[in-house]
Short mmCIF file of all heavy atoms in Angstrom, two decimals:
data_model
loop_
_atom_site.label_atom_id
_atom_site.label_comp_id
_atom_site.label_asym_id
_atom_site.label_seq_id
_atom_site.Cartn_x
_atom_site.Cartn_y
_atom_site.Cartn_z
N GLY A 253 19.76 124.72 189.21
CA GLY A 253 21.10 124.12 189.14
C GLY A 253 21.14 122.95 188.20
O GLY A 253 20.15 122.23 188.03
N THR A 254 22.31 122.74 187.57
CA THR A 254 22.46 121.62 186.63
C THR A 254 23.66 120.73 186.97
O THR A 254 23.85 119.69 186.35
CB THR A 254 22.64 122.14 185.19
OG1 THR A 254 23.77 123.01 185.14
CG2 THR A 254 21.39 122.88 184.72
N ASP A 255 24.46 121.13 187.92
CA ASP A 255 25.54 120.32 188.46
C ASP A 255 25.88 120.90 189.83
O ASP A 255 25.19 121.81 190.30
CB ASP A 255 26.76 120.29 187.52
CG ASP A 255 27.33 121.66 187.22
OD1 ASP A 255 26.97 122.64 187.93
OD2 ASP A 255 28.15 121.78 186.29
N ILE A 256 26.90 120.40 190.48
CA ILE A 256 27.19 120.87 191.84
C ILE A 256 27.58 122.35 191.84
O ILE A 256 27.10 123.13 192.66
CB ILE A 256 28.31 120.02 192.48
CG1 ILE A 256 27.90 118.54 192.54
CG2 ILE A 256 28.63 120.54 193.88
CD1 ILE A 256 26.59 118.28 193.27
N LYS A 257 28.43 122.76 190.91
CA LYS A 257 28.89 124.15 190.86
C LYS A 257 27.73 125.12 190.65
O LYS A 257 27.61 126.12 191.38
CB LYS A 257 29.93 124.32 189.76
CG LYS A 257 30.51 125.71 189.67
CD LYS A 257 31.56 125.80 188.56
CE LYS A 257 32.13 127.21 188.45
NZ LYS A 257 33.15 127.31 187.36
N THR A 258 26.88 124.85 189.65
CA THR A 258 25.78 125.77 189.38
C THR A 258 24.69 125.69 190.46
O THR A 258 23.97 126.66 190.68
CB THR A 258 25.16 125.51 188.00
OG1 THR A 258 24.73 124.15 187.91
CG2 THR A 258 26.17 125.80 186.89
N SER A 259 24.58 124.54 191.12
CA SER A 259 23.63 124.42 192.23
C SER A 259 24.08 125.28 193.41
O SER A 259 23.28 125.98 194.04
CB SER A 259 23.50 122.96 192.65
OG SER A 259 22.91 122.18 191.63
N GLU A 260 25.36 125.22 193.71
CA GLU A 260 25.90 126.06 194.78
C GLU A 260 25.72 127.54 194.44
O GLU A 260 25.38 128.35 195.32
CB GLU A 260 27.39 125.75 194.98
CG GLU A 260 27.65 124.37 195.59
CD GLU A 260 29.13 124.02 195.64
OE1 GLU A 260 29.91 124.61 194.86
OE2 GLU A 260 29.49 123.15 196.45
N LYS A 261 25.94 127.87 193.18
CA LYS A 261 25.79 129.26 192.73
C LYS A 261 24.35 129.72 192.85
O LYS A 261 24.07 130.86 193.26
CB LYS A 261 26.27 129.39 191.28
CG LYS A 261 26.21 130.80 190.71
CD LYS A 261 27.18 131.74 191.41
CE LYS A 261 27.20 133.09 190.74
NZ LYS A 261 28.09 134.05 191.44
N ALA A 262 23.40 128.84 192.52
CA ALA A 262 21.98 129.19 192.62
C ALA A 262 21.61 129.55 194.05
O ALA A 262 20.90 130.53 194.30
CB ALA A 262 21.13 128.03 192.11
N ILE A 263 22.08 128.75 195.00
CA ILE A 263 21.79 129.02 196.42
C ILE A 263 22.44 130.33 196.86
O ILE A 263 21.82 131.15 197.55
CB ILE A 263 22.28 127.85 197.29
CG1 ILE A 263 21.43 126.61 197.01
CG2 ILE A 263 22.22 128.22 198.77
CD1 ILE A 263 21.92 125.37 197.72
N GLU A 264 23.67 130.54 196.44
CA GLU A 264 24.39 131.77 196.78
C GLU A 264 23.64 133.00 196.27
O GLU A 264 23.48 134.00 196.99
CB GLU A 264 25.80 131.72 196.18
CG GLU A 264 26.63 132.96 196.39
CD GLU A 264 27.94 132.92 195.62
OE1 GLU A 264 28.47 131.80 195.40
OE2 GLU A 264 28.42 134.00 195.22
N LYS A 267 20.42 133.75 198.20
CA LYS A 267 20.69 134.37 199.50
C LYS A 267 20.98 135.86 199.35
O LYS A 267 20.73 136.64 200.27
CB LYS A 267 21.86 133.67 200.17
CG LYS A 267 21.54 132.28 200.69
CD LYS A 267 22.74 131.63 201.34
CE LYS A 267 22.39 130.27 201.93
NZ LYS A 267 23.57 129.61 202.53
N ALA A 274 16.16 128.84 194.71
CA ALA A 274 17.13 127.94 194.07
C ALA A 274 16.64 126.49 194.03
O ALA A 274 15.86 126.05 194.88
CB ALA A 274 18.46 127.99 194.82
N THR A 275 17.11 125.78 193.00
CA THR A 275 17.00 124.32 192.98
C THR A 275 18.41 123.76 192.82
O THR A 275 19.31 124.44 192.33
CB THR A 275 16.14 123.78 191.83
OG1 THR A 275 16.87 123.89 190.60
CG2 THR A 275 14.82 124.54 191.72
N VAL A 276 18.59 122.52 193.25
CA VAL A 276 19.88 121.85 193.07
C VAL A 276 19.64 120.55 192.31
O VAL A 276 18.67 119.83 192.57
CB VAL A 276 20.59 121.57 194.41
CG1 VAL A 276 20.90 122.88 195.13
CG2 VAL A 276 19.75 120.66 195.32
N GLY A 277 20.52 120.27 191.37
CA GLY A 277 20.32 119.06 190.58
C GLY A 277 21.51 118.73 189.70
O GLY A 277 22.49 119.48 189.64
N TYR A 278 21.38 117.59 189.04
CA TYR A 278 22.45 117.11 188.15
C TYR A 278 21.84 116.74 186.81
O TYR A 278 21.08 115.76 186.70
CB TYR A 278 23.17 115.91 188.78
CG TYR A 278 24.60 115.78 188.33
CD1 TYR A 278 25.61 116.52 188.94
CD2 TYR A 278 24.94 114.94 187.28
CE1 TYR A 278 26.94 116.42 188.52
CE2 TYR A 278 26.26 114.83 186.86
CZ TYR A 278 27.25 115.56 187.48
OH TYR A 278 28.55 115.47 187.06
N GLN A 298 29.32 110.47 195.44
CA GLN A 298 29.75 111.82 195.81
C GLN A 298 28.67 112.85 195.48
O GLN A 298 28.38 113.74 196.29
CB GLN A 298 31.05 112.17 195.08
CG GLN A 298 32.26 111.39 195.57
CD GLN A 298 33.51 111.70 194.76
OE1 GLN A 298 33.43 112.27 193.66
NE2 GLN A 298 34.67 111.34 195.29
N ILE A 299 28.09 112.73 194.30
CA ILE A 299 27.05 113.66 193.88
C ILE A 299 25.84 113.57 194.80
O ILE A 299 25.25 114.58 195.19
CB ILE A 299 26.64 113.39 192.41
CG1 ILE A 299 27.78 113.76 191.48
CG2 ILE A 299 25.38 114.18 192.04
CD1 ILE A 299 27.62 113.24 190.07
N THR A 300 25.46 112.35 195.15
CA THR A 300 24.34 112.14 196.06
C THR A 300 24.57 112.85 197.39
O THR A 300 23.69 113.57 197.89
CB THR A 300 24.12 110.63 196.32
OG1 THR A 300 23.90 109.96 195.07
CG2 THR A 300 22.92 110.41 197.23
N ASP A 301 25.75 112.67 197.97
CA ASP A 301 26.07 113.31 199.25
C ASP A 301 26.06 114.83 199.13
O ASP A 301 25.54 115.53 200.01
CB ASP A 301 27.44 112.84 199.74
CG ASP A 301 27.44 111.39 200.19
OD1 ASP A 301 26.34 110.86 200.45
OD2 ASP A 301 28.52 110.79 200.28
N GLN A 302 26.64 115.34 198.04
CA GLN A 302 26.70 116.80 197.86
C GLN A 302 25.32 117.41 197.68
O GLN A 302 25.01 118.45 198.26
CB GLN A 302 27.59 117.13 196.66
CG GLN A 302 29.07 116.88 196.91
CD GLN A 302 29.90 117.02 195.63
OE1 GLN A 302 29.62 116.38 194.61
NE2 GLN A 302 30.92 117.85 195.68
N LEU A 303 24.47 116.76 196.89
CA LEU A 303 23.11 117.28 196.68
C LEU A 303 22.29 117.23 197.96
O LEU A 303 21.50 118.14 198.24
CB LEU A 303 22.41 116.51 195.56
CG LEU A 303 22.91 116.75 194.13
CD1 LEU A 303 22.12 115.91 193.15
CD2 LEU A 303 22.82 118.23 193.75
N LYS A 304 22.46 116.18 198.75
CA LYS A 304 21.74 116.07 200.01
C LYS A 304 22.08 117.22 200.95
O LYS A 304 21.21 117.79 201.62
CB LYS A 304 22.04 114.74 200.69
CG LYS A 304 21.28 113.56 200.12
CD LYS A 304 21.54 112.30 200.92
CE LYS A 304 20.71 111.14 200.38
NZ LYS A 304 20.94 109.89 201.15
N LYS A 305 23.36 117.57 200.99
CA LYS A 305 23.79 118.69 201.85
C LYS A 305 23.21 120.01 201.35
O LYS A 305 22.71 120.81 202.13
CB LYS A 305 25.32 118.76 201.88
CG LYS A 305 25.98 117.61 202.63
CD LYS A 305 27.50 117.70 202.57
CE LYS A 305 28.14 116.52 203.29
NZ LYS A 305 29.63 116.56 203.19
N LEU A 306 23.26 120.21 200.03
CA LEU A 306 22.75 121.45 199.46
C LEU A 306 21.23 121.56 199.63
O LEU A 306 20.69 122.66 199.79
CB LEU A 306 23.11 121.53 197.98
CG LEU A 306 24.59 121.72 197.64
CD1 LEU A 306 24.81 121.60 196.13
CD2 LEU A 306 25.10 123.06 198.13
N ALA A 307 20.54 120.43 199.58
CA ALA A 307 19.07 120.42 199.63
C ALA A 307 18.51 120.85 200.98
O ALA A 307 17.31 121.07 201.11
CB ALA A 307 18.55 119.03 199.27
N LYS A 308 19.36 121.01 201.98
CA LYS A 308 18.91 121.41 203.31
C LYS A 308 18.84 122.93 203.47
O LYS A 308 18.37 123.43 204.48
CB LYS A 308 19.84 120.81 204.36
CG LYS A 308 19.81 119.29 204.42
CD LYS A 308 20.81 118.75 205.43
CE LYS A 308 20.80 117.22 205.45
NZ LYS A 308 21.80 116.67 206.40
N ASP A 309 19.31 123.66 202.46
CA ASP A 309 19.34 125.11 202.57
C ASP A 309 17.92 125.70 202.56
O ASP A 309 17.04 125.20 201.87
CB ASP A 309 20.15 125.72 201.42
CG ASP A 309 20.51 127.16 201.67
OD1 ASP A 309 19.67 128.03 201.39
OD2 ASP A 309 21.62 127.41 202.16
N LYS A 310 17.71 126.78 203.30
CA LYS A 310 16.39 127.39 203.44
C LYS A 310 15.86 128.00 202.15
O LYS A 310 14.65 128.13 201.96
CB LYS A 310 16.43 128.45 204.54
CG LYS A 310 16.64 127.87 205.94
CD LYS A 310 16.65 128.98 206.98
CE LYS A 310 16.86 128.40 208.38
NZ LYS A 310 16.91 129.47 209.42
N LYS A 311 16.75 128.43 201.25
CA LYS A 311 16.31 129.04 199.99
C LYS A 311 16.08 128.00 198.90
O LYS A 311 15.78 128.35 197.76
CB LYS A 311 17.35 130.07 199.52
CG LYS A 311 17.42 131.32 200.35
CD LYS A 311 16.19 132.21 200.17
CE LYS A 311 16.22 132.97 198.89
NZ LYS A 311 15.20 134.00 198.74
N LEU A 312 16.22 126.75 199.25
CA LEU A 312 16.07 125.66 198.29
C LEU A 312 14.59 125.32 198.13
O LEU A 312 13.89 125.06 199.11
CB LEU A 312 16.85 124.45 198.79
CG LEU A 312 17.25 123.31 197.84
CD1 LEU A 312 16.08 122.43 197.48
CD2 LEU A 312 17.93 123.85 196.61
N VAL A 313 14.11 125.28 196.88
CA VAL A 313 12.69 125.01 196.65
C VAL A 313 12.44 123.80 195.75
O VAL A 313 11.29 123.46 195.47
CB VAL A 313 11.97 126.23 196.04
CG1 VAL A 313 12.01 127.40 197.01
CG2 VAL A 313 12.58 126.62 194.69
N GLY A 314 13.51 123.12 195.28
CA GLY A 314 13.29 121.99 194.39
C GLY A 314 14.55 121.22 194.07
O GLY A 314 15.67 121.67 194.34
N ILE A 315 14.34 120.03 193.48
CA ILE A 315 15.44 119.17 193.02
C ILE A 315 15.42 119.13 191.50
O ILE A 315 14.41 118.84 190.88
CB ILE A 315 15.29 117.74 193.58
CG1 ILE A 315 15.28 117.76 195.11
CG2 ILE A 315 16.40 116.85 193.05
CD1 ILE A 315 16.56 118.26 195.75
N GLY A 316 16.56 119.39 190.90
CA GLY A 316 16.68 119.38 189.44
C GLY A 316 17.43 120.61 188.97
O GLY A 316 17.73 121.49 189.78
N LEU A 350 15.75 111.46 196.28
CA LEU A 350 16.09 112.60 197.12
C LEU A 350 14.90 113.56 197.24
O LEU A 350 14.61 114.06 198.33
CB LEU A 350 17.30 113.34 196.54
CG LEU A 350 17.76 114.60 197.27
CD1 LEU A 350 18.14 114.27 198.71
CD2 LEU A 350 18.93 115.24 196.54
N MET A 354 13.18 114.51 200.75
CA MET A 354 13.18 115.89 201.24
C MET A 354 11.81 116.57 201.07
O MET A 354 11.65 117.71 201.46
CB MET A 354 14.23 116.71 200.48
CG MET A 354 15.64 116.16 200.55
SD MET A 354 16.34 116.18 202.22
CE MET A 354 16.50 117.94 202.50
N LEU A 356 10.42 117.63 198.29
CA LEU A 356 10.63 118.77 197.42
C LEU A 356 10.16 118.43 196.00
O LEU A 356 10.26 117.27 195.58
CB LEU A 356 12.11 119.15 197.38
CG LEU A 356 12.69 119.80 198.63
CD1 LEU A 356 14.20 119.83 198.57
CD2 LEU A 356 12.13 121.23 198.80
#
Side-chain angles (χ1 to χ4, degrees):
T254 58
D255 58 14
I256 301 304
K257 182 179 179 180
T258 56
S259 294
E260 291 174 338
K261 182 66 174 177
I263 292 174
E264 177 187 330
K267 288 179 177 178
T275 74
V276 298
Y278 208 83
Q298 290 176 344
I299 291 166
T300 303
D301 290 342
Q302 289 172 306
L303 289 180
K304 281 185 177 180
K305 290 177 182 178
L306 291 172
K308 295 177 182 178
D309 195 276
K310 292 181 180 179
K311 290 289 284 189
L312 199 286
V313 297
I315 301 297
L350 178 60
M354 304 295 293
L356 288 167

